[in-house]
Amino acid sequence: IDLGPGEKPAPAADRAVDDDLEVLAQMAELISGVGDFDLRFTDEFVQGARPGVGPELLQRLSQGDFPVQHYLDLHGMGEDQALAEVERFLTRCATKGLRHVLIVHGKGLRSPLGEPVLKNALATALSKKRMQKRVLAFCTARPVDGGAGAMYVLLRKWSGPSPNIS
């Protein structure tokens, strides 16, 4: 995977996706409908999912059961730059067949009002149509992966042209 600014590869041991989790994700894709994401938001936790994504999949996502295959660190970026980079990152990851990524947005401790500007903007952007075509679900990461300063993103399977076309 070509690395962009702020991108870092996940450890190789974490790249394999558990078969049971992959089946759950595929089932969710089959029954997910077109429509607005179910978005839940508190100061410490954010969660969004396409219609039809079941509670078991969301619970396992929030518990960190999916291995992180790649991640992007947005520290030091402004809102517009960060969202543009997230869109490029998700596109690259989806076309490479990755399913679970981590986006580190920070807790907003250095923002002018001490609020998580990138967290709020990212949650909104991931649930909108522009990125919705790539995203199945997302939620706040476990503390070991950044907690309230990061999000797990479960990507839909790539259904576009094969990236290996000669």
Side-chain angles (χ1 to χ4, degrees), residues 92-113:
R92 284 191 300 271
C93 289
T95 58
K96 297 291 184 184
L98 300 182
R99 296 284 280 177
H100 186 247
V101 297
L102 178 73
I103 300 176
V104 180
H105 50 73
K107 295 181 181 177
L109 301 177
R110 293 190 191 119
S111 64
L113 299 174

Side-chain angles (χ1 to χ4, degrees), residues 14-89:
D14 289 341
R15 292 190 183 175
V17 176
D18 179 279
D19 289 340
D20 291 340
L21 293 172
E22 181 63 22
V23 168
L24 278 174
Q26 288 177 8
M27 286 176 32
E29 284 181 5
L30 289 173
I31 62 173
S32 69
V34 177
D36 293 336
F37 262 53
D38 177 17
L39 186 59
R40 297 168 193 224
F41 219 103
T42 69
D43 287 344
E44 288 297 314
F45 187 78
V46 64
Q47 173 182 291
R50 293 183 63 86
V53 172
E56 182 183 358
L57 182 63
L58 287 172
Q59 180 181 10
R60 293 189 71 183
L61 179 64
S62 68
Q63 291 172 342
D65 287 351
F66 281 93
V68 173
Q69 296 174 304
H70 204 34
Y71 73 97
L72 173 67
D73 189 341
L74 302 176
H75 279 103
M77 295 183 195
E79 184 176 338
D80 292 340
Q81 178 189 5
L83 293 179
E85 192 55 41
V86 166
E87 190 167 355
R88 285 189 292 272
F89 172 72

